[in-house]
Amino acid sequence: MKAQAMTAFGAPLTPMDLTPQKPGAGEALVRVTRAGLCHSDLHIHDGYFDFGDVRQPVAMNMPAVLGHEIEGEVAEFGEGVDGPAVGTRVAVYPWLGCNACDTCRAGDQQLCIALPRRSLGVAQWGGMAEYVHVPFADAMIPLGDLTPGLGALAMCSGLTAYSALKKIGTPPPEQPILLLGMGGVGLMAMALAKSVLPNPIIAADIDATKREAALRYGAVEAIEPNADAWQSAMSRHGPAIAAIDFVGAPATFGFGTAALRRGGKYIIVGLFGGKVALPLASLPLKPFSITGSYVGRLDEARELITLLRAGAAPAPPMQERPLEEANSAIDDLRAGKVLGRVLLRP
Ligand SMILES: [Zn+2]
Ligand SMILES: [Zn+2]
């Protein structure tokens, strides 16, 4: 199969002819129709994630195939797989674990630490190729007539947004929720929020255009992230029972945690990075909790596709490019020249 493969971290991708793994028992092979190019791909391509003081290295065998936002058609499956039928349009859930440990059995494959790692496009060959081998056939999620490309995006930014919303739980419905940062993932969460929670949503962003978008997607208010704007919003809605931070910077953390009511929950999704000094007594005295959210579970991915098929959120801007243009697409994304999402088509 033709692939745009990575032969060394940081080096341009190389067109290569690779042989996909034959699907064994319980496995499948999907013919890729679209692979989304994500900001995480840039970090994986660099070979590390920047954690402020330290660089978290990426472990990959070369040649590697990037692409964890995968949409395609079922091409083949091994013994013991009961559908979906060959030719069915599917998204492929990429955050696979070992499928055997306690974490995986509890449904949290995305948190599995067993080796070898299984995530597609991160540890195993992903979507920047004609075919992708799927180690567990139940990772394929049928798409029906969902807008082309939306299934691919749902597996990363969409799932990240949805899983963070689910972590809020079911607080009293009149208490507001604060969503911080209306970039791609934040806006997706804004659009999905009404399908997940009855609570009023207050959006915050420094950019007026993004605040307008949040209002269009159903925010009761969209404010600048500063104390005065929050005081004003809080006088109408009360303090927030939960906040999701789609930026993950010291400034958003300071603003967002101050906006919480007692017993509130702070959920960090964004990877902007940096450090904060936290008065430890504020945790028991306020009290509030802080948690992180990393992509999402397979069952959440299935729920999300069901919601999207029912029209829960509009498709973000997408541009399609031939897989052969993977390098220029990566360069454009690095240079901040991409509006919306690039989908590579093998
Ligand atoms: Zn991604
Ligand atoms: Zn596992």
Side-chain angles (χ1 to χ4, degrees):
M1 63 174 180
K2 64 176 181 179
Q4 288 288 323
M6 182 165 72
T7 52
F9 290 120
L13 303 185
T14 309
M16 286 182 89
D17 193 5
L18 301 174
T19 306
Q21 203 178 322
K22 190 99 185 121
E27 302 173 353
L29 192 69
V30 165
R31 187 179 72 78
V32 179
T33 52
R34 287 169 186 82
L37 182 63
C38 171
H39 272 98
S40 312
D41 288 318
L42 303 183
H43 298 300
I44 300 166
H45 184 230
D46 287 337
Y48 62 88
F49 282 84
D50 190 347
F51 279 22
D53 296 348
V54 289
R55 285 178 166 191
Q56 170 90 10
V58 174
M60 270 182 147
N61 296 321
M62 303 292 166
V65 180
L66 297 172
H68 51 269
E69 301 181 352
I70 308 166
E71 190 174 305
E73 291 172 2
V74 182
E76 199 181 327
F77 40 73
E79 269 174 60
V81 176
D82 183 18
V86 168
T88 305
R89 279 187 72 210
V90 293
V92 181
Y93 174 82
W95 313 110
L96 298 171
C98 70
N99 225 11
C101 71
D102 290 346
T103 303
C104 285
R105 282 206 301 268
D108 285 311
Q109 293 198 54
Q110 79 283 8
L111 305 180
C112 176
I113 56 165
L115 296 173
R117 294 273 201 262
R118 298 283 187 115
S119 292
L120 304 179
V122 182
Q124 309 283 336
W125 287 353
M128 293 193 193
E130 277 178 290
Y131 292 91
V132 63
H133 174 261
V134 185
F136 311 113
D138 67 353
M140 300 186 297
I141 307 173
L143 294 176
D145 58 0
L146 188 67
T147 306
L150 192 50
L153 304 195
M155 294 301 107
C156 185
S157 56
L159 182 58
T160 300
Y162 182 69
S163 184
L165 287 168
K166 294 275 286 194
K167 286 184 176 67
I168 292 172
T170 52
E174 71 284 359
Q175 296 182 357
I177 285 157
L178 174 64
L179 300 186
L180 269 161
M182 291 290 111
V185 183
L187 267 185
M188 179 60 103
M190 189 65 241
L192 290 168
K194 61 186 179 299
S195 305
V196 181
L197 294 152
N199 302 62
I201 310 287
I202 299 171
D205 199 289
I206 50 174
D207 183 328
T209 317
K210 291 177 178 169
R211 291 198 298 273
E212 278 163 32
L215 290 172
R216 277 200 307 279
Y217 284 8
V220 292
E221 299 206 21
I223 63 171
E224 288 189 62
N226 63 54
D228 288 346
W230 178 253
Q231 280 302 325
S232 167
M234 191 172 67
S235 69
R236 292 181 284 280
H237 304 282
I241 187 61
I244 306 178
D245 186 344
F246 293 101
V247 183
T252 49
F253 181 85
F255 168 75
T257 51
L260 288 178
R261 74 173 59 217
R262 299 192 79 195
K265 191 185 279 187
Y266 200 73
I267 301 162
I268 304 179
V269 173
L271 288 167
F272 185 89
K275 286 182 168 188
V276 292
L278 184 68
L280 289 176
S282 68
L283 285 168
L285 287 176
K286 192 165 181 175
F288 70 110
S289 61
I290 304 169
T291 188
S293 188
Y294 172 70
V295 293
R297 295 158 53 101
L298 174 57
D299 56 358
E300 290 171 337
R302 290 182 180 282
E303 290 167 19
L304 175 59
I305 292 295
T306 304
L307 284 175
L308 292 175
R309 287 177 68 173
M318 294 185 261
Q319 37 171 295
E320 300 194 339
R321 296 206 206 174
L323 177 61
E324 291 72 23
E325 293 179 16
N327 282 312
S328 62
I330 287 172
D331 292 344
D332 288 351
L333 188 60
R334 277 192 200 282
K337 286 195 271 184
V338 173
L339 175 70
R341 218 43 156 196
V342 170
L343 292 153
L344 297 168
R345 301 204 63 181

PDB file of all heavy atoms in Angstrom, residues 276-294:
ATOM      1  N   VAL A 276       1.628  26.340  37.676  1.00  0.00           N
ATOM      2  CA  VAL A 276       0.949  27.250  38.595  1.00  0.00           C
ATOM      3  C   VAL A 276       1.357  26.920  40.025  1.00  0.00           C
ATOM      4  O   VAL A 276       1.695  25.777  40.339  1.00  0.00           O
ATOM      5  CB  VAL A 276      -0.587  27.162  38.490  1.00  0.00           C
ATOM      6  CG1 VAL A 276      -1.071  27.689  37.158  1.00  0.00           C
ATOM      7  CG2 VAL A 276      -1.090  25.746  38.716  1.00  0.00           C
ATOM      8  N   ALA A 277       1.325  27.931  40.878  1.00  0.00           N
ATOM      9  CA  ALA A 277       1.482  27.720  42.318  1.00  0.00           C
ATOM     10  C   ALA A 277       0.080  27.796  42.913  1.00  0.00           C
ATOM     11  O   ALA A 277      -0.654  28.757  42.672  1.00  0.00           O
ATOM     12  CB  ALA A 277       2.377  28.798  42.918  1.00  0.00           C
ATOM     13  N   LEU A 278      -0.323  26.761  43.622  1.00  0.00           N
ATOM     14  CA  LEU A 278      -1.685  26.680  44.133  1.00  0.00           C
ATOM     15  C   LEU A 278      -1.652  26.711  45.655  1.00  0.00           C
ATOM     16  O   LEU A 278      -0.939  25.921  46.264  1.00  0.00           O
ATOM     17  CB  LEU A 278      -2.286  25.353  43.635  1.00  0.00           C
ATOM     18  CG  LEU A 278      -3.736  25.059  43.941  1.00  0.00           C
ATOM     19  CD1 LEU A 278      -4.640  26.011  43.184  1.00  0.00           C
ATOM     20  CD2 LEU A 278      -4.058  23.618  43.552  1.00  0.00           C
ATOM     21  N   PRO A 279      -2.404  27.625  46.298  1.00  0.00           N
ATOM     22  CA  PRO A 279      -2.480  27.564  47.762  1.00  0.00           C
ATOM     23  C   PRO A 279      -3.147  26.245  48.153  1.00  0.00           C
ATOM     24  O   PRO A 279      -4.317  26.032  47.840  1.00  0.00           O
ATOM     25  CB  PRO A 279      -3.360  28.755  48.145  1.00  0.00           C
ATOM     26  CG  PRO A 279      -3.569  29.538  46.900  1.00  0.00           C
ATOM     27  CD  PRO A 279      -3.276  28.663  45.733  1.00  0.00           C
ATOM     28  N   LEU A 280      -2.402  25.357  48.791  1.00  0.00           N
ATOM     29  CA  LEU A 280      -2.929  24.010  49.043  1.00  0.00           C
ATOM     30  C   LEU A 280      -4.197  24.038  49.882  1.00  0.00           C
ATOM     31  O   LEU A 280      -5.108  23.239  49.669  1.00  0.00           O
ATOM     32  CB  LEU A 280      -1.863  23.142  49.713  1.00  0.00           C
ATOM     33  CG  LEU A 280      -0.721  22.744  48.777  1.00  0.00           C
ATOM     34  CD1 LEU A 280       0.345  21.982  49.534  1.00  0.00           C
ATOM     35  CD2 LEU A 280      -1.256  21.905  47.620  1.00  0.00           C
ATOM     36  N   ALA A 281      -4.291  24.982  50.806  1.00  0.00           N
ATOM     37  CA  ALA A 281      -5.471  25.026  51.673  1.00  0.00           C
ATOM     38  C   ALA A 281      -6.742  25.353  50.894  1.00  0.00           C
ATOM     39  O   ALA A 281      -7.850  25.110  51.367  1.00  0.00           O
ATOM     40  CB  ALA A 281      -5.257  26.040  52.790  1.00  0.00           C
ATOM     41  N   SER A 282      -6.583  25.922  49.683  1.00  0.00           N
ATOM     42  CA  SER A 282      -7.788  26.242  48.908  1.00  0.00           C
ATOM     43  C   SER A 282      -8.524  24.974  48.481  1.00  0.00           C
ATOM     44  O   SER A 282      -9.728  24.990  48.272  1.00  0.00           O
ATOM     45  CB  SER A 282      -7.438  27.083  47.677  1.00  0.00           C
ATOM     46  OG  SER A 282      -6.689  26.339  46.736  1.00  0.00           O
ATOM     47  N   LEU A 283      -7.787  23.856  48.357  1.00  0.00           N
ATOM     48  CA  LEU A 283      -8.459  22.620  47.938  1.00  0.00           C
ATOM     49  C   LEU A 283      -9.430  22.117  49.013  1.00  0.00           C
ATOM     50  O   LEU A 283     -10.600  21.894  48.717  1.00  0.00           O
ATOM     51  CB  LEU A 283      -7.433  21.557  47.541  1.00  0.00           C
ATOM     52  CG  LEU A 283      -6.795  21.815  46.167  1.00  0.00           C
ATOM     53  CD1 LEU A 283      -5.588  20.927  45.939  1.00  0.00           C
ATOM     54  CD2 LEU A 283      -7.803  21.584  45.060  1.00  0.00           C
ATOM     55  N   PRO A 284      -8.995  21.943  50.257  1.00  0.00           N
ATOM     56  CA  PRO A 284      -9.979  21.529  51.270  1.00  0.00           C
ATOM     57  C   PRO A 284     -10.943  22.647  51.675  1.00  0.00           C
ATOM     58  O   PRO A 284     -12.090  22.362  52.020  1.00  0.00           O
ATOM     59  CB  PRO A 284      -9.112  21.099  52.463  1.00  0.00           C
ATOM     60  CG  PRO A 284      -7.800  21.760  52.265  1.00  0.00           C
ATOM     61  CD  PRO A 284      -7.612  21.893  50.784  1.00  0.00           C
ATOM     62  N   LEU A 285     -10.525  23.896  51.653  1.00  0.00           N
ATOM     63  CA  LEU A 285     -11.379  24.952  52.194  1.00  0.00           C
ATOM     64  C   LEU A 285     -12.458  25.406  51.225  1.00  0.00           C
ATOM     65  O   LEU A 285     -13.566  25.736  51.633  1.00  0.00           O
ATOM     66  CB  LEU A 285     -10.529  26.156  52.620  1.00  0.00           C
ATOM     67  CG  LEU A 285      -9.706  25.947  53.889  1.00  0.00           C
ATOM     68  CD1 LEU A 285      -8.837  27.169  54.166  1.00  0.00           C
ATOM     69  CD2 LEU A 285     -10.601  25.643  55.088  1.00  0.00           C
ATOM     70  N   LYS A 286     -12.125  25.433  49.894  1.00  0.00           N
ATOM     71  CA  LYS A 286     -13.155  25.948  48.988  1.00  0.00           C
ATOM     72  C   LYS A 286     -14.351  25.004  48.946  1.00  0.00           C
ATOM     73  O   LYS A 286     -15.458  25.500  49.095  1.00  0.00           O
ATOM     74  CB  LYS A 286     -12.558  26.196  47.595  1.00  0.00           C
ATOM     75  CG  LYS A 286     -13.506  26.992  46.709  1.00  0.00           C
ATOM     76  CD  LYS A 286     -12.813  27.550  45.492  1.00  0.00           C
ATOM     77  CE  LYS A 286     -13.802  28.356  44.658  1.00  0.00           C
ATOM     78  NZ  LYS A 286     -13.173  29.033  43.523  1.00  0.00           N
ATOM     79  N   PRO A 287     -14.313  23.746  48.914  1.00  0.00           N
ATOM     80  CA  PRO A 287     -13.289  22.913  48.304  1.00  0.00           C
ATOM     81  C   PRO A 287     -13.607  22.733  46.818  1.00  0.00           C
ATOM     82  O   PRO A 287     -14.736  22.921  46.393  1.00  0.00           O
ATOM     83  CB  PRO A 287     -13.459  21.586  49.041  1.00  0.00           C
ATOM     84  CG  PRO A 287     -14.919  21.532  49.368  1.00  0.00           C
ATOM     85  CD  PRO A 287     -15.403  22.957  49.496  1.00  0.00           C
ATOM     86  N   PHE A 288     -12.590  22.345  46.039  1.00  0.00           N
ATOM     87  CA  PHE A 288     -12.847  22.032  44.631  1.00  0.00           C
ATOM     88  C   PHE A 288     -11.906  20.934  44.185  1.00  0.00           C
ATOM     89  O   PHE A 288     -10.961  20.591  44.895  1.00  0.00           O
ATOM     90  CB  PHE A 288     -12.735  23.280  43.756  1.00  0.00           C
ATOM     91  CG  PHE A 288     -11.338  23.824  43.586  1.00  0.00           C
ATOM     92  CD1 PHE A 288     -10.700  23.734  42.358  1.00  0.00           C
ATOM     93  CD2 PHE A 288     -10.670  24.455  44.625  1.00  0.00           C
ATOM     94  CE1 PHE A 288      -9.425  24.259  42.175  1.00  0.00           C
ATOM     95  CE2 PHE A 288      -9.389  24.980  44.460  1.00  0.00           C
ATOM     96  CZ  PHE A 288      -8.772  24.880  43.230  1.00  0.00           C
ATOM     97  N   SER A 289     -12.207  20.344  43.048  1.00  0.00           N
ATOM     98  CA  SER A 289     -11.359  19.271  42.539  1.00  0.00           C
ATOM     99  C   SER A 289     -10.812  19.644  41.168  1.00  0.00           C
ATOM    100  O   SER A 289     -11.418  20.429  40.435  1.00  0.00           O
ATOM    101  CB  SER A 289     -12.134  17.950  42.468  1.00  0.00           C
ATOM    102  OG  SER A 289     -13.223  18.078  41.586  1.00  0.00           O
ATOM    103  N   ILE A 290      -9.667  19.086  40.860  1.00  0.00           N
ATOM    104  CA  ILE A 290      -9.008  19.330  39.572  1.00  0.00           C
ATOM    105  C   ILE A 290      -8.783  17.978  38.920  1.00  0.00           C
ATOM    106  O   ILE A 290      -8.278  17.060  39.563  1.00  0.00           O
ATOM    107  CB  ILE A 290      -7.631  19.996  39.770  1.00  0.00           C
ATOM    108  CG1 ILE A 290      -7.754  21.279  40.581  1.00  0.00           C
ATOM    109  CG2 ILE A 290      -6.968  20.285  38.422  1.00  0.00           C
ATOM    110  CD1 ILE A 290      -6.404  21.834  41.025  1.00  0.00           C
ATOM    111  N   THR A 291      -9.176  17.863  37.680  1.00  0.00           N
ATOM    112  CA  THR A 291      -8.921  16.610  36.976  1.00  0.00           C
ATOM    113  C   THR A 291      -8.515  16.907  35.540  1.00  0.00           C
ATOM    114  O   THR A 291      -8.742  17.996  35.034  1.00  0.00           O
ATOM    115  CB  THR A 291     -10.166  15.682  37.031  1.00  0.00           C
ATOM    116  OG1 THR A 291      -9.817  14.413  36.510  1.00  0.00           O
ATOM    117  CG2 THR A 291     -11.323  16.256  36.257  1.00  0.00           C
ATOM    118  N   GLY A 292      -7.869  15.935  34.928  1.00  0.00           N
ATOM    119  CA  GLY A 292      -7.500  16.076  33.518  1.00  0.00           C
ATOM    120  C   GLY A 292      -8.379  15.175  32.680  1.00  0.00           C
ATOM    121  O   GLY A 292      -9.021  14.260  33.182  1.00  0.00           O
ATOM    122  N   SER A 293      -8.438  15.476  31.384  1.00  0.00           N
ATOM    123  CA  SER A 293      -9.199  14.619  30.477  1.00  0.00           C
ATOM    124  C   SER A 293      -8.364  14.395  29.231  1.00  0.00           C
ATOM    125  O   SER A 293      -7.877  15.355  28.629  1.00  0.00           O
ATOM    126  CB  SER A 293     -10.535  15.281  30.126  1.00  0.00           C
ATOM    127  OG  SER A 293     -11.361  14.389  29.411  1.00  0.00           O
ATOM    128  N   TYR A 294      -8.174  13.139  28.865  1.00  0.00           N
ATOM    129  CA  TYR A 294      -7.332  12.788  27.713  1.00  0.00           C
ATOM    130  C   TYR A 294      -8.161  12.010  26.704  1.00  0.00           C
ATOM    131  O   TYR A 294      -8.686  10.948  27.025  1.00  0.00           O
ATOM    132  CB  TYR A 294      -6.130  11.952  28.182  1.00  0.00           C
ATOM    133  CG  TYR A 294      -5.302  11.385  27.063  1.00  0.00           C
ATOM    134  CD1 TYR A 294      -4.520  12.212  26.263  1.00  0.00           C
ATOM    135  CD2 TYR A 294      -5.314  10.026  26.788  1.00  0.00           C
ATOM    136  CE1 TYR A 294      -3.770  11.693  25.225  1.00  0.00           C
ATOM    137  CE2 TYR A 294      -4.561   9.494  25.755  1.00  0.00           C
ATOM    138  CZ  TYR A 294      -3.794  10.340  24.979  1.00  0.00           C
ATOM    139  OH  TYR A 294      -3.053   9.822  23.942  1.00  0.00           O
TER     140      TYR A 294
END
